Amino acid sequence: MKILVTGGAGFIGSNFVYYLLEKHPEDEIVVLDLLTYAGNLKTLQPVLDKIKFVKEDICDREAIFKLFSEENFDVVVNFAAESHVDRSIEDPGVFLKTNILGTQVLMDASRKYGVKRYHQVSTDEVYGDLPLDRPDLLFKETTPLHTSSPYSASKASADLLVLAYYRTFKLPITISRCSNNYGPFQFPEKLIPLMIARALDDKTLPVYGEGLNVRDWLHVKDHCSAIDLIIRNGKVGEVYNIGGNNERANIEVVKTILKALDKSESLINYVKDRPGHDQRYAIDASYISKTLGWKPEYNFETGIMQTINWYLDNKSWWEEIVSGEYKNYYDKMYSGR
């Protein structure tokens, strides 16, 4: 198959590219990424000779249609998205443009050029949140959408648009909604890599509120294996929840990192909570388990230690991001070509 991976220089997208190259070396992969602040071409450096990379904006209709006409994709997997809740509170507009209008452009191109499967990568945040005192409640695929932030609202809007294209235009779509991802190559503004980087420098660790907000942590490789199953064996028109069955309060995650790095909990700095902060996310992934046979391989204890060790072994990768130097990599690679 020829697969377009949008947002493929970002955290989950790049891990998906590596997963495909390992599991399906016969597939042809094209990576599309605008290389905004969260996209880093250096992440893909070891495999740039095995893929085709295109720097482009999914909102640029003319460029996207030209690419689709030239490449004749079988499958499109859309990871491209603005995804940080705090940034969406500061500037909602860019989230609406990329996450909704960009999705529309990709689906219009998929319709015109006969893509056999369009897969939308979504988030459990479209369901809103669950109360901390009801551990029995889980997000199901049938849970009503109830968003809390401009980010989650933009992703829910995109989901509804994807489902509308399936019903109205018969576009062969699938959607996956995942819980919080962690693992290699995650941008250092997110909780786990941020805490690792700051703890290593003995800087204070900012924790919202009392750190009691609960998330279901999903290792990125488990997420990739689920998406791979969906695009190959999933039922057209279906939504699939992907969860790690690893619920942890944020403060528990932070203390786990500090203990692993032999750092003092005195580094923790409780800060004012962000507006509309969701209390708890918890995924019921029984549908994908029953229908496609998927289950996560990583438990949190093993996955978090592997992740911490990866950041320890790859300081140059995230230190360049913290310094801003990574933004120059594309120009270094492609200037004069």
Side-chain angles (χ1 to χ4, degrees):
M1 295 195 301
K2 179 178 278 192
I3 303 174
L4 174 65
V5 180
T6 71
F11 165 43
I12 307 175
S14 62
N15 275 280
F16 187 65
V17 169
Y18 280 105
Y19 184 90
L20 289 179
L21 289 171
E22 178 184 353
K23 298 293 184 179
H24 307 283
E26 71 281 2
D27 287 346
E28 189 175 347
I29 301 171
V30 178
V31 171
L32 175 73
D33 201 295
L34 187 56
L35 298 180
T36 57
Y37 77 94
N40 184 1
L41 188 59
K42 195 169 186 179
T43 300
L44 296 172
Q45 184 179 20
V47 295
L48 285 175
D49 60 334
K50 299 178 181 179
I51 65 174
K52 179 177 181 178
F53 179 81
V54 179
K55 183 182 179 183
E56 199 50 78
D57 186 347
I58 62 171
C59 297
D60 187 332
R61 182 173 291 268
E62 181 179 351
I64 294 301
F65 273 58
K66 182 175 183 292
L67 177 66
F68 273 65
S69 69
E70 293 171 348
E71 297 293 344
N72 192 30
F73 298 115
D74 297 300
V75 175
V76 174
V77 183
N78 182 28
F79 292 95
E82 297 287 344
S83 65
H84 193 49
V85 173
D86 287 350
R87 288 178 182 264
S88 79
I89 294 171
E90 294 297 321
D91 183 11
V94 67
F95 283 72
L96 304 184
K97 179 183 177 184
T98 299
N99 297 355
I100 303 173
L101 298 181
T103 296
Q104 179 200 7
V105 170
L106 290 171
M107 289 196 297
D108 285 344
S110 296
R111 285 180 59 212
K112 181 171 181 178
Y113 294 102
V115 167
K116 298 179 180 66
R117 177 66 61 89
Y118 175 90
H119 183 76
Q120 179 76 2
V121 180
S122 188
T123 170
D124 60 357
E125 294 188 47
V126 301
Y127 297 123
D129 64 350
L130 298 166
L132 294 174
D133 60 355
R134 289 293 304 277
D136 56 308
L137 295 180
L138 301 172
F139 293 138
K140 301 179 182 295
E141 288 83 357
T142 54
T143 299
L145 305 188
H146 187 72
T147 60
S148 304
S149 69
Y151 162 61
S152 58
S154 70
K155 291 298 287 185
S157 300
D159 283 7
L160 292 173
L161 189 62
V162 172
L163 292 170
Y165 268 56
Y166 168 63
R167 177 156 182 171
T168 302
F169 303 117
K170 308 306 178 188
L171 182 68
I173 65 92
T174 42
I175 297 173
S176 58
R177 294 172 180 153
C178 68
S179 55
N180 281 45
N181 278 218
Y182 70 103
F185 300 119
Q186 189 169 27
F187 195 77
E189 71 183 357
K190 298 300 179 77
L191 178 68
I192 288 176
L194 177 66
M195 297 299 126
I196 294 171
R198 292 186 67 86
L200 287 172
D201 287 339
D202 293 307
K203 295 180 179 178
T204 58
L205 310 187
V207 175
Y208 283 130
E210 298 178 10
L212 300 180
N213 307 74
V214 171
R215 302 293 181 258
D216 173 18
W217 291 97
L218 172 69
H219 195 282
V220 66
K221 289 186 179 178
D222 283 331
H223 188 190
C224 291
S225 69
I227 292 175
D228 185 46
L229 273 175
I230 293 168
I231 64 174
R232 296 172 196 277
N233 302 320
K235 183 180 178 182
V236 169
E238 289 292 275
V239 176
Y240 294 89
N241 281 350
I242 308 170
N245 299 324
N246 290 296
E247 289 187 53
R248 297 289 188 284
N250 287 346
I251 190 61
E252 184 180 353
V253 174
V254 173
K255 289 182 178 180
T256 298
I257 292 169
L258 287 171
K259 183 177 181 181
L261 296 176
D262 196 25
K263 299 290 184 176
S264 171
E265 291 184 8
S266 65
L267 291 174
I268 297 172
N269 178 33
Y270 295 98
V271 299
K272 182 180 178 181
D273 210 349
R274 73 182 177 210
H277 199 173
D278 288 335
Q279 294 184 63
R280 173 176 169 256
Y281 302 149
I283 283 280
D284 178 352
S286 60
Y287 180 66
I288 189 173
S289 176
K290 291 175 182 176
T291 58
L292 299 181
W294 177 86
K295 62 179 180 179
E297 294 184 4
Y298 287 81
N299 60 49
F300 188 74
E301 289 75 18
T302 301
I304 191 64
M305 289 309 303
Q306 289 185 0
T307 300
I308 291 170
N309 288 331
W310 186 90
Y311 279 91
L312 288 172
D313 294 339
N314 292 273
K315 284 187 178 181
S316 62
W317 181 86
W318 58 264
E319 285 177 344
E320 282 192 2
I321 292 178
V322 173
S323 70
E325 181 62 25
Y326 80 104
K327 294 180 180 178
N328 298 323
Y329 183 74
Y330 180 86
D331 292 334
K332 292 176 184 176
M333 284 291 296
Y334 289 97
S335 60
R337 293 192 178 185

